[in-house]
């Protein structure tokens, strides 16, 4: 998405106090607008207010918070109430709310409060040119629409994700749309084989915006930017100045015969095992028909990534006999569909590289936990395998941790990653020295050296101690054998073995 440094980037405050208190704060904000604010500032303030309600869950039968706010303002005989209602009459997201705000404003005016002088200028925007830029594959694009208030131009920038039906993932208002368009043009000129820039008919832009917003708003938990809710209402308001959304031809349903014919064309061109190519090709086509029905054979790195996520999440069912063929068949599909689409050699090479990276991640994630627990050992007998698995799972019960709010799978065979898992599991108030000792014991159990550590664990478990209690005793035993050293923690190995034997 184009830079947002020129955007109005004050994030909305979360709803953390009472609704009444929030409503009072909103009235105060509108009271502070002054006598002659710019219409765009009023519209953005109203949009930001409504954005705070976007993700607030409502109990069954509850009235939308927008309507509650309107009712609250209607009961106040203040200029701030009149200003808020005048703004919501234009910027509220639904006809019901806009009509309620209009009715509430009439009540306030009838009580002697004058209408804001700027009220008639709200929503009086003129739609200008629209542009979009994106990757040559069609996975996503940034749509820029220019709107003018008098002689002041602003841009509405929406990030469209076509791997999920063209839904909007991000919204932002731009103060200098001309500069952003220049940057978009520079990106396209610098890499014309991978980046596309094109003018968009305003009616088509309206369709992309309205359909994309609707697709996102229908999701229970949409993955969107922080600004999405903040600019949502103003996006709907300004888009009403665009021509009526363009009509698109109805997408024809693919018959079973047509689906089978396309899959067989791919099988013949793939050079891979026919059974695997047919099974995986069918899944790839079905994925395209579901997520991109107007162009199911469109290929792009993110579209393939979504397909692989479906395989990992078992949303797509694949026979175990064909799992080893996923990588070569997917690469063959990418080549076949890219050539059908007429992509350049440069675009195909970049696509192959991106998909190969995704396939590498898929292969890593597709490893079973058992394989990850034993990636650093040779062949084991069934008895040795069972004992080692129990020991290592006691030492490292989870292979997943959270880094910067994202769940990440780590490799326990890597000592550094193993210690990261130990740190993630430990209590926040655990002393640094005992945390180091805990990590040391985990390494000992992982390597089964000394063997007395695991034997002690088994004895302590027979005494019905839980895992935390067992570790506390192991740490105490190791701590009691530490030697004086200024550089690092060192312990007497013989004394430690004796201490373990006594547990």
């Amino acid at each position: 998405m184009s830079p947002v440094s020129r955007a109005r980037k004050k994030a909305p405050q979360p709803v953390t106090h009472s609704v009444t208190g929030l409503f009072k704060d909103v009235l105060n904000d509108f009271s502070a607008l002054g006598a002659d604010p710019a219409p765009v500032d009023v519209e953005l303030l109203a949009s930001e207010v409504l954005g705070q309600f976007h993700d607030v869950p409502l109990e069954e039968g509850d009235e939308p918070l927008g309507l509650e706010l309107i009712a609250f303002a209607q009961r106040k005989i203040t200029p701030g109430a009149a200003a808020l209602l005048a703004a919501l009459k234009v910027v509220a997201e639904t006809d019901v709310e806009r009509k309620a705000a209009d009715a509430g404003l009439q009540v306030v005016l009838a009580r002697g409060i004058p209408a804001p002088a700027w009220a008639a200028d709200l929503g009086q925007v003129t739609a200008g040119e629209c542009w979009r830029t994106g990757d040559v594959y069609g996975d996503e694009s940034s749509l820029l629409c220019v709107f003018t208030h008098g002689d002041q131009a602003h841009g509405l920038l929406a990030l469209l994700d076509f791997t999920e039906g063209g839904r909007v993932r991000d919204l932002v208002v731009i103060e200098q749309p001309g500069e952003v368009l220049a940057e978009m043009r520079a990106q396209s000129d610098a890499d014309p084989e991978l980046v596309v820039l094109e003018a968009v008919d305003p009616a088509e832009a309206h369709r992309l915006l309205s359909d994309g917003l609707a697709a996102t708003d229908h999701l229970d938990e949409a993955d969107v930017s922080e600004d999405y809710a903040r600019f949502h209402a103003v996006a709907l308001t300004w888009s009403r100045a665009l021509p009526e959304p363009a009509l698109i031809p109805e997408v024809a349903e693919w018959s079973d015969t047509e689906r089978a014919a396309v899959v067989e064309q791919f099988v013949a061109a793939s050079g891979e095992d026919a059974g695997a190519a047919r099974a995986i090709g069918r899944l790839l086509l079905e994925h395209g028909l579901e997520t991109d029905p107007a162009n199911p054979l469109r290929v792009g790195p993110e579209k393939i990534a979504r397909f692989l996520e479906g395989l990992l999440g078992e949303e797509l069912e694949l026979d175990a006999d064909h799992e080893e063929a996923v990588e070569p068949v997917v690469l063959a599909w990418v080549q076949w569909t890219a050539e059908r689409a007429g992509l350049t050699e440069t675009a195909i090479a970049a696509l192959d590289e991106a998909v190969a990276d995704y396939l590498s991640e898929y292969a890593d994630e597709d490893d079973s936990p058992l394989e990850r627990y034993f990636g650093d050992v040779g062949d084991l007998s069934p008895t040795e395998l069972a004992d080692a698995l129990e020991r290592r799972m006691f030492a490292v019960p989870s292979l997943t941790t959270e880094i910067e709010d994202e769940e990440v799978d780590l490799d326990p065979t890597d000592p550094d990653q193993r210690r990261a898992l130990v740190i993630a599991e430990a209590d926040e108030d655990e002393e640094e020295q005992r945390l180091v000792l805990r990590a040391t014991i985990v390494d000992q159990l992982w390597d089964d050296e000394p063997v007395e550590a695991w034997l002690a664990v088994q004895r302590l478990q027979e005494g019905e101690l839980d895992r935390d209690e067992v570790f506390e005793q192991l740490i105490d035993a190791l701590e009691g054998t530490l030697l004086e050293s200024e550089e690092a923690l060192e312990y007497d190995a013989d004394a430690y073995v004796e201490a373990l034997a006594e547990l």
Side-chain angles (χ1 to χ4, degrees):
M1 187 145 188
S2 295
V4 293
S5 57
R6 300 173 185 79
R8 301 170 182 267
K9 286 286 291 180
K10 178 185 175 184
Q13 296 300 308
V15 180
T16 58
H17 50 301
S18 71
V19 170
T20 300
L22 175 63
F23 289 173
K24 288 180 179 178
D25 290 345
V26 170
L27 285 185
N28 289 336
D29 288 340
F30 275 86
S31 297
L33 279 172
D36 191 26
V40 66
D41 290 335
V42 179
E43 293 163 9
L44 288 171
L45 176 59
S47 184
E48 183 171 326
V49 166
L50 295 172
Q52 295 182 64
F53 306 154
H54 230 250
D55 297 322
V56 177
L58 296 176
E59 300 293 335
E60 187 175 351
D62 283 354
E63 193 172 57
L65 289 179
L67 290 176
E68 284 195 29
L69 174 60
I70 290 167
F72 177 86
Q74 181 179 322
R75 296 192 293 270
K76 306 298 178 181
I77 311 175
T78 65
L84 170 61
L85 293 168
L88 295 184
K89 172 185 173 181
V90 175
V91 182
E93 297 189 357
T94 66
D95 285 336
V96 171
E97 290 173 327
R98 290 193 292 273
K99 289 177 181 178
D102 188 14
L105 177 61
Q106 301 312 312
V107 171
V108 172
L109 297 181
R111 292 173 179 169
I113 301 298
W118 42 259
D121 295 326
L122 295 183
Q124 300 303 306
V125 297
T126 301
E129 58 187 15
C130 300
W131 294 82
R132 76 170 179 175
T133 185
D135 60 80
V136 70
Y137 313 108
D139 278 338
E140 67 177 30
S141 65
S142 293
L143 175 66
L144 174 66
C145 294
V146 179
F147 297 92
T148 305
H149 294 74
D151 59 355
Q152 187 178 18
H154 286 82
L156 178 66
L157 192 63
L159 179 63
L160 306 173
D161 184 346
F162 293 99
T163 67
E164 296 188 21
R167 77 176 185 87
V168 175
R169 300 179 70 93
D170 193 7
L171 280 171
V172 68
V173 168
I174 302 297
E175 292 182 338
Q176 299 294 335
E179 292 184 11
V180 173
L181 178 58
E183 290 184 18
M184 295 165 74
R185 184 171 283 115
Q187 291 171 1
S188 177
D189 291 343
D191 208 347
E193 292 193 66
L194 296 178
V195 181
V196 176
L197 174 66
E198 60 183 2
V200 181
D201 181 80
E204 174 64 6
H206 195 174
R207 182 191 70 78
L208 290 168
L209 267 177
S210 58
D211 288 357
L213 290 170
T216 299
D217 293 342
H218 278 104
L219 298 175
D220 291 333
E221 295 184 8
D223 176 20
V224 295
S225 71
E226 291 183 359
D227 282 327
Y228 179 85
R230 181 184 172 211
F231 293 116
H232 189 273
V234 82
L236 292 176
T237 301
W238 290 0
S239 66
R240 292 197 293 272
L242 293 165
E244 285 298 308
L247 297 177
I248 58 173
E250 185 175 347
V251 177
E253 183 77 18
W254 280 45
S255 68
D256 291 342
T257 301
E258 290 171 319
R259 298 176 191 219
V262 167
V263 170
E264 290 307 315
Q265 290 174 30
F266 165 64
V267 171
S270 70
E272 301 296 330
D273 173 76
R278 186 173 294 110
I280 299 170
R282 187 182 299 116
L283 288 178
L284 283 158
L285 176 59
E286 293 300 325
H287 174 74
L289 288 166
E290 180 180 351
T291 62
D292 200 359
N295 193 7
L297 295 179
R298 182 187 68 77
V299 64
E302 294 304 318
K303 187 174 183 179
I304 295 298
R306 296 289 193 279
F307 171 77
L308 295 174
E309 287 173 5
L311 285 181
L312 282 172
E314 298 183 354
E315 298 161 14
L316 304 171
E317 295 184 8
L318 179 65
D319 192 300
D321 292 342
H322 301 315
E323 288 181 355
E324 294 296 323
V326 167
E327 180 173 352
V329 171
V330 168
L331 288 173
W333 176 272
V334 166
Q335 186 71 29
W336 183 67
T337 49
E339 290 176 354
R340 283 176 60 107
L343 295 178
T344 66
E345 290 184 6
T346 300
I348 294 176
L351 175 62
D352 284 342
E353 182 178 355
V355 170
D357 287 342
Y358 286 133
L359 284 165
S360 176
E361 293 177 14
Y362 167 79
D364 290 343
E365 292 188 31
D366 201 36
D367 288 342
S368 70
L370 184 64
E371 291 172 326
R372 282 190 279 160
Y373 272 108
F374 294 104
D376 59 348
V377 298
D379 293 335
L380 297 174
S381 70
T383 302
E384 292 171 329
L385 182 65
D387 182 69
L389 179 61
E390 182 182 1
R391 171 170 45 80
R392 288 190 164 186
M393 289 192 72
F394 177 85
V396 185
S398 173
L399 306 183
T400 302
T401 188
E402 194 171 278
I403 298 177
E404 295 182 354
D405 297 328
E406 286 191 16
E407 281 198 355
V408 178
D409 285 337
L410 298 181
D411 178 7
T413 64
D414 181 309
D416 291 334
Q417 295 190 42
R418 186 164 67 241
R419 291 189 182 110
L421 290 166
V422 174
I423 293 170
E425 181 192 10
D427 292 334
E428 292 183 2
D429 57 354
E430 186 164 8
E431 295 178 3
E432 182 179 355
Q433 176 172 295
R434 289 184 70 83
L435 181 57
V436 173
L437 297 176
R438 177 186 294 273
T440 300
I441 292 168
V442 166
D443 288 342
Q444 293 171 350
L445 291 171
W446 188 267
D447 296 328
D448 200 21
E449 186 178 333
V451 294
E452 287 81 5
W454 178 234
L455 294 173
V457 168
Q458 292 174 306
R459 289 196 305 275
L460 291 170
Q461 286 180 318
E462 290 174 0
E464 298 185 355
L465 296 184
D466 63 26
R467 182 172 176 275
D468 289 339
E469 293 169 329
V470 170
F471 259 104
E472 287 303 312
Q473 293 216 24
L474 293 174
I475 293 171
D476 289 342
L478 182 56
E479 191 170 37
T481 66
L482 291 178
L483 303 172
E484 291 188 10
S485 173
E486 296 181 359
E487 296 183 359
L489 290 178
E490 297 181 3
Y491 63 95
D492 184 324
D494 292 336
Y496 176 51
V497 169
E498 291 178 10
L500 289 172
E502 294 175 0
L503 293 180

